[in-house]
Amino acid sequence: MNDLADLDIYAATPCLLGCVAGDGEPFPAQHGYRTCDPCADRLRATLNELVELYALVDDAMVPGGGGAAARGAPGHGSRSPARDSVIVLTDPRTHAVEDDDPHSVLAVLSSWADNVRQDTGQDPRGGPATVSGEVAVLVRWLDWATRQYWIGDLGQEVDELAHQLRAALGVQERTIPVGPCPARVTDPGTGRLTTCGGPLRARLSVERIRCPRCRASWPRDRWDDLGGELGTPVSDYASLSVWLSTPTGTLRRWRGEDEWANHGSRRRPQFARTDALASWRRRHAAVPG
């Protein structure tokens, strides 16, 4: 009886990661979980992104790659030769007091990973904590974590860490257009079924996207179909480089290896974005946690 009651509670639970439906109401969690599938996929992608971003911190620590030139010039008081906005993210003593205060990335992730170890009966961490190691624990147990009442707090803190790392490193979250949403919806004016057509954009690292207009969810294996709805737009190397944040030299190599068809001319070659995206995905396939 208690098990049935628990299932009823789960069934009525809105997604605790903060997404809302088109009417502004909280989107329901997947049955048996406290999150919807797209938000769980997004959280997993953000956790993995933290590892990538944190790996860039050392290079960003000292402006211009380091050196004494960063110290105060004559006539000015001495100042730190390093970027304090980056240092605070790596210092385990950093403690956020007010909203928007910086966090210690490792300290926050270690706290959550230690909770997961304790609650799931694992042995305590055996050695020094690392960002990649703590993220690996959280990703490995994410299916279990998305059933817990505290998953919303974890999601909020992970998003804050990613936001602060991106800001400190001067990088932006990358999204790409995938195509118009093909979901069939009811036109409120006529009551007839029509195609949604909402613009779908996705982070390259996620496995599922959700339409901002009708909230339909589309898994990665449908992205080629969605892109086809755009009429297979074509772009030159420069545009593809900006779109995928990939050097043009790398794109030229992919073109040869993957045999992209040239839809332009010999002087100005152009290639299908679906071909370029397929090459990117082939080389950045998610590794199971």
Side-chain angles (χ1 to χ4, degrees), residues 130-224:
T130 64
V131 167
S132 59
E134 304 300 60
V135 165
V137 171
L138 295 174
V139 169
R140 186 180 308 119
W141 288 90
L142 192 59
D143 183 79
W144 171 84
T146 52
R147 301 171 186 262
Q148 310 307 312
Y149 69 91
W150 43 255
I151 189 63
D153 295 329
L154 171 62
Q156 181 179 354
E157 293 195 12
V158 167
D159 283 343
E160 289 175 0
L161 292 179
H163 173 75
Q164 291 178 356
L165 278 170
R166 293 187 200 111
L169 296 170
V171 298
Q172 299 296 322
E173 183 178 30
R174 287 183 294 157
T175 64
I176 58 172
V178 175
C181 176
R184 301 292 288 173
V185 297
T186 302
D187 187 315
T190 64
R192 297 178 179 177
L193 284 177
T194 185
T195 300
C196 170
L200 298 177
R201 297 188 65 88
R203 290 170 57 188
L204 290 172
S205 54
V206 301
E207 293 299 317
R208 188 182 297 268
I209 53 179
R210 173 173 287 155
C211 176
R213 183 178 298 172
C214 73
R215 310 304 292 176
S217 175
W218 302 102
R220 181 179 282 271
D221 58 15
R222 288 292 311 278
W223 289 11
D224 286 341

Coordinates of all heavy atoms in Angstrom, one line a residue, residues 130-224:
T130 N 38.6 15.2 -7.0 CA 38.8 15.9 -8.3 C 37.5 16.2 -8.9 O 36.5 15.5 -8.6 CB 39.7 15.1 -9.2 OG1 38.9 13.9 -9.6 CG2 41.0 14.7 -8.6
V131 N 37.4 17.2 -9.7 CA 36.2 17.6 -10.3 C 35.7 16.5 -11.2 O 34.5 16.1 -11.2 CB 36.3 18.9 -11.1 CG1 35.2 19.1 -12.1 CG2 36.5 20.1 -10.2
S132 N 36.6 15.9 -12.0 CA 36.2 14.8 -12.9 C 35.7 13.6 -12.2 O 34.8 12.9 -12.6 CB 37.4 14.4 -13.9 OG 38.5 14.0 -13.1
G133 N 36.4 13.3 -11.0 CA 36.0 12.1 -10.3 C 34.6 12.3 -9.6 O 33.8 11.4 -9.6
E134 N 34.4 13.5 -9.1 CA 33.1 13.7 -8.4 C 32.0 13.8 -9.4 O 30.9 13.3 -9.2 CB 33.2 15.0 -7.6 CG 34.3 15.1 -6.5 CD 34.2 13.9 -5.5 OE1 34.2 12.7 -5.9 OE2 34.1 14.3 -4.3
V135 N 32.2 14.4 -10.6 CA 31.2 14.4 -11.6 C 30.9 13.0 -12.1 O 29.7 12.6 -12.3 CB 31.7 15.3 -12.8 CG1 30.8 15.0 -14.0 CG2 31.6 16.8 -12.4
A136 N 31.9 12.1 -12.2 CA 31.7 10.8 -12.6 C 30.7 10.0 -11.6 O 29.9 9.3 -12.1 CB 33.0 10.0 -12.7
V137 N 30.9 10.3 -10.3 CA 30.0 9.7 -9.4 C 28.6 10.2 -9.6 O 27.6 9.4 -9.6 CB 30.4 10.0 -7.9 CG1 29.4 9.6 -6.9 CG2 31.8 9.4 -7.6
L138 N 28.4 11.5 -9.7 CA 27.1 12.1 -9.9 C 26.4 11.6 -11.2 O 25.2 11.3 -11.2 CB 27.2 13.6 -9.9 CG 27.6 14.2 -8.6 CD1 27.8 15.7 -8.7 CD2 26.6 13.9 -7.4
V139 N 27.2 11.5 -12.3 CA 26.6 11.0 -13.5 C 26.2 9.6 -13.4 O 25.2 9.1 -13.9 CB 27.6 11.3 -14.7 CG1 27.1 10.6 -16.0 CG2 27.7 12.8 -14.9
R140 N 27.1 8.8 -12.8 CA 26.8 7.3 -12.7 C 25.5 7.1 -11.9 O 24.8 6.1 -12.2 CB 28.0 6.6 -12.0 CG 27.9 5.1 -12.0 CD 29.1 4.5 -11.3 NE 30.4 5.0 -11.8 CZ 31.3 5.7 -11.1 NH1 31.1 5.9 -9.8 NH2 32.4 6.1 -11.7
W141 N 25.3 7.9 -10.9 CA 24.1 7.7 -10.1 C 23.0 8.7 -10.4 O 22.0 8.9 -9.6 CB 24.5 7.8 -8.6 CG 25.3 6.7 -8.1 CD1 26.6 6.5 -8.1 CD2 24.8 5.5 -7.5 NE1 27.0 5.3 -7.6 CE2 25.9 4.6 -7.3 CE3 23.5 5.0 -7.3 CZ2 25.7 3.4 -6.7 CZ3 23.3 3.7 -6.7 CH2 24.5 3.0 -6.4
L142 N 23.0 9.3 -11.6 CA 22.0 10.3 -11.9 C 20.6 9.7 -12.0 O 19.6 10.4 -11.6 CB 22.4 11.0 -13.2 CG 21.6 12.3 -13.5 CD1 21.7 13.3 -12.4 CD2 22.0 12.9 -14.8
D143 N 20.4 8.5 -12.5 CA 19.1 7.9 -12.6 C 18.5 7.8 -11.2 O 17.3 8.1 -11.0 CB 19.2 6.5 -13.3 CG 17.8 5.9 -13.4 OD1 17.1 6.3 -14.4 OD2 17.4 5.0 -12.6
W144 N 19.3 7.4 -10.2 CA 18.9 7.3 -8.8 C 18.6 8.7 -8.3 O 17.6 8.9 -7.6 CB 19.9 6.6 -8.0 CG 19.7 6.6 -6.5 CD1 18.9 5.8 -5.8 CD2 20.2 7.6 -5.6 NE1 18.9 6.1 -4.5 CE2 19.7 7.2 -4.3 CE3 21.1 8.6 -5.7 CZ2 20.0 7.9 -3.2 CZ3 21.4 9.4 -4.6 CH2 20.9 9.0 -3.3
A145 N 19.5 9.7 -8.6 CA 19.4 11.0 -8.0 C 18.1 11.7 -8.5 O 17.5 12.5 -7.8 CB 20.6 11.8 -8.4
T146 N 17.7 11.4 -9.8 CA 16.5 12.1 -10.3 C 15.2 11.6 -9.6 O 14.1 12.0 -10.0 CB 16.4 11.9 -11.8 OG1 16.5 10.6 -12.2 CG2 17.5 12.8 -12.5
R147 N 15.3 10.6 -8.7 CA 14.2 10.1 -8.0 C 14.1 10.8 -6.6 O 13.2 10.5 -5.8 CB 14.2 8.6 -7.8 CG 14.2 7.8 -9.2 CD 14.5 6.4 -8.9 NE 14.6 5.6 -10.1 CZ 13.6 4.9 -10.7 NH1 12.5 4.8 -10.1 NH2 13.9 4.2 -11.8
Q148 N 15.1 11.6 -6.2 CA 15.2 12.1 -4.9 C 14.6 13.5 -4.8 O 14.6 14.3 -5.7 CB 16.7 12.2 -4.5 CG 17.5 10.8 -4.7 CD 16.8 9.6 -4.1 OE1 16.4 9.7 -2.9 NE2 16.6 8.6 -4.9
Y149 N 14.2 13.8 -3.6 CA 13.5 15.1 -3.4 C 14.4 16.3 -3.6 O 14.0 17.4 -3.8 CB 12.8 15.2 -2.0 CG 13.8 15.2 -0.9 CD1 14.3 16.4 -0.3 CD2 14.4 14.1 -0.3 CE1 15.2 16.5 0.7 CE2 15.3 14.1 0.7 CZ 15.7 15.3 1.2 OH 16.7 15.4 2.2
W150 N 15.7 16.1 -3.4 CA 16.7 17.2 -3.5 C 17.3 17.4 -4.8 O 18.2 18.3 -5.0 CB 17.9 16.9 -2.5 CG 18.4 15.5 -2.4 CD1 18.2 14.6 -1.5 CD2 19.3 14.9 -3.4 NE1 18.9 13.5 -1.8 CE2 19.5 13.6 -3.0 CE3 19.8 15.3 -4.6 CZ2 20.3 12.7 -3.7 CZ3 20.6 14.4 -5.3 CH2 20.9 13.2 -4.9
I151 N 16.8 16.8 -5.9 CA 17.3 16.9 -7.2 C 17.3 18.3 -7.7 O 18.1 18.8 -8.5 CB 16.7 15.9 -8.2 CG1 17.4 15.9 -9.5 CG2 15.2 16.2 -8.4 CD1 18.8 15.4 -9.4
G152 N 16.2 19.1 -7.3 CA 16.1 20.4 -7.8 C 17.2 21.3 -7.2 O 17.8 22.2 -7.9
D153 N 17.6 21.1 -6.0 CA 18.8 21.8 -5.4 C 20.1 21.5 -6.1 O 20.9 22.4 -6.4 CB 18.9 21.5 -3.9 CG 17.7 22.0 -3.1 OD1 17.1 23.0 -3.5 OD2 17.3 21.3 -2.1
L154 N 20.3 20.2 -6.4 CA 21.5 19.8 -7.1 C 21.5 20.5 -8.5 O 22.5 21.1 -8.9 CB 21.5 18.3 -7.3 CG 22.6 17.8 -8.3 CD1 24.0 18.1 -7.7 CD2 22.5 16.3 -8.5
G155 N 20.4 20.4 -9.2 CA 20.3 21.1 -10.5 C 20.6 22.5 -10.5 O 21.3 23.1 -11.3
Q156 N 20.1 23.2 -9.5 CA 20.3 24.7 -9.4 C 21.8 25.0 -9.1 O 22.3 25.9 -9.7 CB 19.4 25.2 -8.2 CG 19.6 26.7 -8.1 CD 18.7 27.3 -6.9 OE1 17.9 26.6 -6.4 NE2 18.9 28.6 -6.6
E157 N 22.4 24.2 -8.2 CA 23.8 24.5 -7.9 C 24.7 24.1 -9.1 O 25.7 24.8 -9.4 CB 24.2 23.7 -6.7 CG 23.5 24.3 -5.4 CD 24.2 23.8 -4.1 OE1 25.3 23.2 -4.2 OE2 23.5 23.9 -3.1
V158 N 24.4 23.1 -9.8 CA 25.2 22.7 -11.0 C 25.1 23.8 -12.1 O 26.1 24.2 -12.7 CB 24.7 21.4 -11.6 CG1 25.3 21.1 -13.0 CG2 25.2 20.2 -10.6
D159 N 23.9 24.3 -12.3 CA 23.7 25.4 -13.2 C 24.5 26.7 -12.8 O 25.0 27.4 -13.7 CB 22.2 25.8 -13.4 CG 21.4 24.7 -14.2 OD1 22.1 24.0 -15.0 OD2 20.2 24.7 -14.2
E160 N 24.5 27.0 -11.5 CA 25.2 28.1 -11.0 C 26.7 28.0 -11.3 O 27.4 28.9 -11.7 CB 24.9 28.4 -9.6 CG 23.5 28.9 -9.3 CD 23.2 29.0 -7.8 OE1 24.1 28.6 -7.0 OE2 22.1 29.4 -7.4
L161 N 27.2 26.8 -11.0 CA 28.6 26.5 -11.2 C 29.0 26.7 -12.7 O 30.0 27.3 -13.1 CB 29.0 25.1 -10.8 CG 29.0 24.8 -9.3 CD1 29.4 23.3 -9.1 CD2 29.9 25.7 -8.5
A162 N 28.1 26.2 -13.6 CA 28.4 26.3 -15.0 C 28.4 27.7 -15.5 O 29.2 28.2 -16.2 CB 27.4 25.5 -15.8
H163 N 27.4 28.5 -15.0 CA 27.3 29.9 -15.3 C 28.5 30.7 -14.8 O 29.0 31.5 -15.6 CB 26.0 30.5 -14.6 CG 25.9 32.0 -14.8 ND1 25.5 32.6 -16.0 CD2 26.1 33.0 -13.9 CE1 25.5 33.9 -15.8 NE2 25.8 34.2 -14.6
Q164 N 29.0 30.4 -13.6 CA 30.1 31.1 -13.1 C 31.4 30.8 -13.8 O 32.2 31.6 -14.1 CB 30.2 30.9 -11.6 CG 29.1 31.6 -10.8 CD 29.2 31.3 -9.3 OE1 30.0 30.5 -8.9 NE2 28.3 31.9 -8.6
L165 N 31.5 29.5 -14.2 CA 32.7 29.1 -14.9 C 32.7 29.7 -16.3 O 33.8 30.2 -16.8 CB 32.8 27.6 -15.1 CG 33.4 26.8 -13.9 CD1 33.1 25.3 -14.0 CD2 34.9 27.1 -13.7
R166 N 31.6 29.7 -17.0 CA 31.5 30.3 -18.3 C 31.8 31.8 -18.3 O 32.6 32.3 -19.1 CB 30.1 30.1 -18.9 CG 29.7 28.7 -19.3 CD 28.4 28.7 -20.0 NE 27.8 27.3 -20.0 CZ 26.7 27.1 -19.3 NH1 26.0 28.1 -18.6 NH2 26.2 25.9 -19.3
A167 N 31.3 32.5 -17.2 CA 31.5 33.9 -17.1 C 33.0 34.2 -16.8 O 33.6 35.1 -17.4 CB 30.7 34.5 -16.0
A168 N 33.6 33.4 -16.0 CA 35.0 33.6 -15.6 C 36.0 33.3 -16.8 O 37.0 34.0 -17.0 CB 35.4 32.7 -14.4
L169 N 35.6 32.4 -17.6 CA 36.4 32.0 -18.7 C 36.1 32.7 -20.0 O 36.8 32.6 -21.0 CB 36.2 30.5 -19.0 CG 36.7 29.5 -17.9 CD1 36.2 28.1 -18.2 CD2 38.2 29.6 -17.8
G170 N 35.0 33.5 -20.0 CA 34.6 34.3 -21.1 C 34.0 33.5 -22.3 O 34.2 33.8 -23.4
V171 N 33.3 32.4 -21.9 CA 32.7 31.5 -23.0 C 31.2 31.5 -22.8 O 30.7 31.8 -21.7 CB 33.3 30.1 -22.9 CG1 34.8 30.1 -23.2 CG2 32.9 29.4 -21.6
Q172 N 30.5 31.2 -23.9 CA 29.1 31.2 -23.8 C 28.6 29.8 -24.1 O 29.2 29.0 -24.8 CB 28.5 32.2 -24.9 CG 28.9 33.6 -24.6 CD 28.3 34.2 -23.3 OE1 27.2 33.9 -23.0 NE2 29.1 35.0 -22.7
E173 N 27.4 29.5 -23.6 CA 26.8 28.2 -23.9 C 26.4 28.2 -25.4 O 25.8 29.1 -25.9 CB 25.5 28.0 -23.0 CG 24.9 26.7 -23.2 CD 23.7 26.5 -22.3 OE1 23.0 27.5 -22.0 OE2 23.4 25.4 -21.9
R174 N 26.8 27.1 -26.0 CA 26.6 27.0 -27.5 C 25.3 26.2 -27.8 O 25.1 25.1 -27.2 CB 27.8 26.3 -28.1 CG 29.0 27.1 -28.2 CD 30.1 26.3 -29.0 NE 30.5 25.2 -28.2 CZ 31.1 24.1 -28.8 NH1 31.2 24.0 -30.1 NH2 31.4 23.1 -28.1
T175 N 24.5 26.8 -28.6 CA 23.3 26.1 -29.1 C 23.3 26.2 -30.7 O 23.9 27.1 -31.2 CB 22.0 26.6 -28.6 OG1 21.8 28.0 -29.0 CG2 22.0 26.6 -27.1
I176 N 22.7 25.2 -31.3 CA 22.6 25.3 -32.8 C 21.1 25.1 -33.2 O 20.4 24.4 -32.5 CB 23.4 24.2 -33.4 CG1 23.0 22.8 -32.9 CG2 24.9 24.4 -33.1 CD1 23.6 21.6 -33.6
P177 N 20.7 25.6 -34.3 CA 19.4 25.4 -34.8 C 19.3 24.0 -35.3 O 20.2 23.5 -36.0 CB 19.2 26.5 -35.9 CG 20.6 26.7 -36.4 CD 21.5 26.6 -35.2
V178 N 18.2 23.3 -35.0 CA 18.0 21.9 -35.5 C 16.9 21.9 -36.5 O 17.0 21.1 -37.5 CB 17.6 21.0 -34.3 CG1 17.3 19.6 -34.8 CG2 18.8 21.0 -33.3
G179 N 15.9 22.7 -36.4 CA 14.8 22.7 -37.4 C 13.5 23.1 -36.7 O 13.4 23.3 -35.5
P180 N 12.4 23.3 -37.5 CA 11.1 23.6 -36.9 C 10.5 22.4 -36.3 O 10.6 21.2 -36.7 CB 10.3 24.1 -38.1 CG 10.9 23.4 -39.3 CD 12.3 23.2 -39.0
C181 N 9.7 22.6 -35.2 CA 9.1 21.5 -34.5 C 7.9 20.9 -35.4 O 7.0 21.7 -35.8 CB 8.5 22.0 -33.2 SG 7.6 20.7 -32.2
P182 N 7.9 19.6 -35.7 CA 6.9 19.0 -36.5 C 5.7 18.5 -35.8 O 4.8 17.8 -36.3 CB 7.7 17.9 -37.2 CG 8.6 17.4 -36.2 CD 9.0 18.7 -35.4
A183 N 5.7 18.7 -34.4 CA 4.6 18.2 -33.6 C 3.2 18.7 -34.1 O 3.1 19.9 -34.6 CB 4.7 18.5 -32.2
R184 N 2.2 17.9 -34.1 CA 0.8 18.3 -34.4 C 0.1 18.8 -33.2 O 0.1 18.2 -32.2 CB 0.1 17.1 -35.0 CG 0.7 16.5 -36.2 CD 0.6 17.4 -37.4 NE -0.7 17.5 -37.9 CZ -1.1 18.3 -38.9 NH1 -0.2 19.2 -39.4 NH2 -2.3 18.4 -39.3
V185 N -0.4 20.1 -33.3 CA -1.0 20.7 -32.2 C -2.4 21.3 -32.7 O -2.6 21.4 -33.9 CB -0.1 21.9 -31.6 CG1 1.2 21.3 -31.0 CG2 0.1 22.9 -32.7
T186 N -3.2 21.6 -31.7 CA -4.5 22.2 -32.0 C -4.4 23.7 -32.1 O -3.9 24.4 -31.2 CB -5.5 21.8 -31.0 OG1 -5.6 20.4 -30.9 CG2 -6.9 22.4 -31.3
D187 N -4.8 24.3 -33.2 CA -4.8 25.7 -33.4 C -6.0 26.3 -32.5 O -7.1 25.9 -32.7 CB -5.1 26.1 -34.8 CG -5.0 27.6 -35.1 OD1 -5.5 28.4 -34.3 OD2 -4.4 28.0 -36.1
P188 N -5.6 27.2 -31.5 CA -6.6 27.7 -30.6 C -7.7 28.5 -31.3 O -8.8 28.6 -30.8 CB -5.9 28.5 -29.6 CG -4.6 28.9 -30.3 CD -4.3 27.7 -31.2
G189 N -7.4 29.1 -32.5 CA -8.4 29.9 -33.2 C -9.4 29.1 -34.0 O -10.6 29.4 -34.0
T190 N -8.9 28.0 -34.6 CA -9.8 27.2 -35.5 C -10.2 25.9 -34.9 O -11.1 25.2 -35.3 CB -9.1 27.0 -36.9 OG1 -8.0 26.2 -36.7 CG2 -8.7 28.3 -37.5
G191 N -9.4 25.4 -33.9 CA -9.7 24.1 -33.3 C -9.2 23.0 -34.2 O -9.4 21.8 -33.9
R192 N -8.4 23.3 -35.3 CA -7.9 22.3 -36.2 C -6.5 21.9 -35.8 O -5.8 22.7 -35.3 CB -8.0 22.8 -37.6 CG -9.4 23.0 -38.1 CD -9.4 23.6 -39.5 NE -10.7 23.8 -40.1 CZ -11.0 24.4 -41.3 NH1 -10.0 24.7 -42.1 NH2 -12.2 24.6 -41.7
L193 N -6.1 20.7 -36.2 CA -4.7 20.3 -36.0 C -3.8 21.0 -37.0 O -4.2 21.1 -38.2 CB -4.6 18.8 -36.2 CG -5.1 17.9 -35.1 CD1 -5.0 16.4 -35.4 CD2 -4.3 18.2 -33.8
T194 N -2.7 21.4 -36.6 CA -1.7 22.1 -37.4 C -0.3 21.8 -36.9 O -0.2 21.2 -35.9 CB -1.9 23.6 -37.4 OG1 -1.0 24.2 -38.3 CG2 -1.7 24.2 -36.0
T195 N 0.7 22.1 -37.7 CA 2.0 21.8 -37.3 C 2.5 22.9 -36.4 O 2.3 24.1 -36.7 CB 3.0 21.7 -38.5 OG1 2.5 20.6 -39.4 CG2 4.4 21.5 -38.1
C196 N 3.2 22.6 -35.3 CA 3.7 23.6 -34.4 C 4.6 24.6 -35.0 O 4.4 25.8 -35.0 CB 4.3 22.9 -33.2 SG 5.2 24.0 -32.1
G197 N 5.7 24.1 -35.6 CA 6.7 25.0 -36.3 C 7.6 25.8 -35.4 O 8.3 26.7 -35.8
G198 N 7.5 25.6 -34.1 CA 8.4 26.3 -33.1 C 9.9 26.0 -33.4 O 10.2 24.9 -33.9
P199 N 10.7 27.1 -33.3 CA 12.1 26.9 -33.6 C 12.8 26.0 -32.6 O 12.8 26.3 -31.4 CB 12.7 28.3 -33.6 CG 11.8 29.0 -32.6 CD 10.4 28.4 -32.8
L200 N 13.5 24.9 -33.0 CA 14.2 24.0 -32.1 C 15.7 24.3 -32.2 O 16.3 24.4 -33.2 CB 13.9 22.6 -32.5 CG 12.5 22.1 -32.5 CD1 12.4 20.6 -33.0 CD2 11.9 22.2 -31.1
R201 N 16.2 24.6 -31.0 CA 17.7 24.7 -30.8 C 18.2 23.8 -29.8 O 17.4 23.4 -28.9 CB 18.0 26.2 -30.4 CG 17.7 27.2 -31.5 CD 18.2 28.6 -31.1 NE 19.7 28.6 -31.1 CZ 20.4 28.9 -32.1 NH1 19.8 29.2 -33.3 NH2 21.7 28.9 -32.1
A202 N 19.4 23.3 -29.9 CA 19.9 22.3 -29.0 C 21.4 22.6 -28.6 O 22.1 23.1 -29.4 CB 19.8 20.9 -29.6
R203 N 21.7 22.3 -27.4 CA 23.1 22.2 -27.0 C 23.7 21.0 -27.6 O 23.0 19.9 -27.7 CB 23.3 22.2 -25.5 CG 22.9 23.5 -24.8 CD 22.8 23.3 -23.3 NE 24.1 22.8 -22.8 CZ 24.2 22.4 -21.5 NH1 23.2 22.5 -20.7 NH2 25.4 22.0 -21.1
L204 N 24.9 21.1 -28.2 CA 25.5 20.0 -28.9 C 25.7 18.8 -28.0 O 25.8 17.6 -28.5 CB 26.8 20.4 -29.5 CG 26.7 21.4 -30.7 CD1 28.0 21.9 -31.1 CD2 26.0 20.7 -31.9
S205 N 25.7 19.0 -26.7 CA 26.0 17.9 -25.8 C 24.8 17.1 -25.3 O 25.0 16.1 -24.6 CB 26.9 18.4 -24.6 OG 26.2 19.5 -24.0
V206 N 23.6 17.6 -25.5 CA 22.4 17.0 -24.9 C 21.9 15.9 -25.8 O 22.2 15.8 -27.0 CB 21.3 18.0 -24.7 CG1 21.8 19.1 -23.8 CG2 20.8 18.6 -26.0
E207 N 21.1 15.0 -25.3 CA 20.5 13.9 -26.0 C 19.1 14.1 -26.4 O 18.5 13.4 -27.1 CB 20.6 12.6 -25.2 CG 22.0 12.1 -24.9 CD 22.7 11.8 -26.2 OE1 22.1 11.2 -27.1 OE2 23.9 12.2 -26.4
R208 N 18.5 15.2 -25.9 CA 17.0 15.5 -26.1 C 16.8 17.0 -26.1 O 17.4 17.7 -25.3 CB 16.2 14.8 -25.1 CG 14.7 14.8 -25.3 CD 14.0 14.1 -24.1 NE 14.4 12.7 -24.0 CZ 13.8 11.7 -24.5 NH1 12.7 11.9 -25.2 NH2 14.2 10.5 -24.4
I209 N 15.9 17.4 -27.0 CA 15.5 18.8 -27.0 C 14.0 18.9 -26.8 O 13.3 18.0 -27.1 CB 16.0 19.6 -28.2 CG1 15.5 18.8 -29.5 CG2 17.5 19.7 -28.3 CD1 15.9 19.5 -30.8
R210 N 13.6 20.1 -26.3 CA 12.1 20.3 -26.1 C 11.7 21.6 -26.8 O 12.4 22.6 -26.7 CB 11.8 20.4 -24.6 CG 10.4 20.8 -24.3 CD 10.0 20.7 -22.9 NE 9.9 19.3 -22.5 CZ 10.1 18.9 -21.2 NH1 10.4 19.8 -20.3 NH2 9.9 17.7 -20.9
C211 N 10.6 21.5 -27.5 CA 10.1 22.7 -28.2 C 9.7 23.8 -27.2 O 8.9 23.5 -26.3 CB 8.9 22.3 -29.1 SG 8.1 23.7 -29.9
P212 N 10.1 25.0 -27.3 CA 9.8 26.1 -26.4 C 8.3 26.5 -26.6 O 7.8 27.2 -25.7 CB 10.7 27.2 -26.8 CG 11.0 27.0 -28.2 CD 11.1 25.5 -28.4
R213 N 7.7 26.1 -27.7 CA 6.3 26.5 -28.0 C 5.3 25.5 -27.5 O 4.4 25.8 -26.7 CB 6.1 26.8 -29.5 CG 4.8 27.3 -29.9 CD 4.7 27.6 -31.3 NE 5.7 28.7 -31.7 CZ 5.9 29.0 -33.0 NH1 5.3 28.4 -34.0 NH2 6.8 29.9 -33.3
C214 N 5.4 24.3 -27.9 CA 4.4 23.2 -27.6 C 4.9 22.2 -26.5 O 4.2 21.4 -26.1 CB 4.0 22.5 -28.8 SG 5.2 21.3 -29.5
R215 N 6.2 22.3 -26.2 CA 6.8 21.4 -25.2 C 7.0 20.0 -25.6 O 7.3 19.1 -24.8 CB 6.1 21.4 -23.9 CG 5.7 22.8 -23.3 CD 6.9 23.7 -23.2 NE 7.8 23.2 -22.1 CZ 9.0 23.7 -21.8 NH1 9.4 24.8 -22.5 NH2 9.7 23.3 -20.8
A216 N 6.8 19.7 -26.9 CA 7.1 18.4 -27.4 C 8.6 18.1 -27.3 O 9.4 19.0 -27.4 CB 6.7 18.3 -28.9
S217 N 8.9 16.8 -27.0 CA 10.3 16.4 -26.7 C 10.8 15.6 -27.9 O 10.1 14.7 -28.4 CB 10.3 15.6 -25.4 OG 11.6 15.1 -25.2
W218 N 12.1 15.9 -28.3 CA 12.6 15.2 -29.5 C 14.0 14.6 -29.1 O 14.9 15.3 -28.8 CB 12.8 16.1 -30.7 CG 11.5 16.8 -31.1 CD1 11.0 18.0 -30.7 CD2 10.4 16.1 -31.8 NE1 9.8 18.2 -31.2 CE2 9.4 17.1 -31.9 CE3 10.3 14.9 -32.4 CZ2 8.2 16.8 -32.5 CZ3 9.1 14.6 -33.0 CH2 8.1 15.6 -33.1
P219 N 14.2 13.3 -29.2 CA 15.5 12.6 -28.9 C 16.5 12.9 -30.1 O 16.1 13.3 -31.2 CB 15.1 11.2 -28.8 CG 14.0 11.0 -29.7 CD 13.2 12.3 -29.6
R220 N 17.7 12.7 -29.8 CA 18.8 13.0 -30.7 C 18.6 12.2 -32.0 O 19.0 12.7 -33.1 CB 20.2 12.7 -30.1 CG 21.4 12.9 -31.0 CD 22.6 12.6 -30.2 NE 23.0 13.6 -29.3 CZ 23.7 14.7 -29.6 NH1 24.2 14.9 -30.8 NH2 24.0 15.6 -28.7
D221 N 18.1 11.0 -32.0 CA 18.1 10.2 -33.2 C 17.0 10.7 -34.2 O 16.9 10.2 -35.3 CB 17.8 8.7 -32.9 CG 16.5 8.5 -32.1 OD1 15.7 9.4 -32.0 OD2 16.4 7.4 -31.6
R222 N 16.2 11.8 -33.8 CA 15.3 12.4 -34.7 C 15.8 13.7 -35.3 O 15.2 14.3 -36.1 CB 14.0 12.7 -33.9 CG 13.1 11.5 -33.6 CD 12.5 10.9 -34.9 NE 11.9 11.8 -35.8 CZ 10.7 12.3 -35.6 NH1 9.9 11.9 -34.6 NH2 10.1 13.1 -36.5
W223 N 17.0 14.1 -34.8 CA 17.5 15.5 -35.2 C 17.7 15.6 -36.7 O 17.5 16.6 -37.3 CB 18.8 15.8 -34.5 CG 18.6 16.1 -33.1 CD1 17.4 15.9 -32.3 CD2 19.5 16.6 -32.1 NE1 17.6 16.2 -31.0 CE2 18.9 16.7 -30.9 CE3 20.8 17.1 -32.3 CZ2 19.5 17.2 -29.8 CZ3 21.5 17.5 -31.1 CH2 20.8 17.6 -29.9
D224 N 18.2 14.5 -37.4 CA 18.4 14.5 -38.8 C 17.0 14.8 -39.5 O 17.0 15.5 -40.5 CB 19.0 13.2 -39.3 CG 20.5 13.1 -39.0 OD1 21.1 14.2 -38.6 OD2 21.0 12.0 -39.0

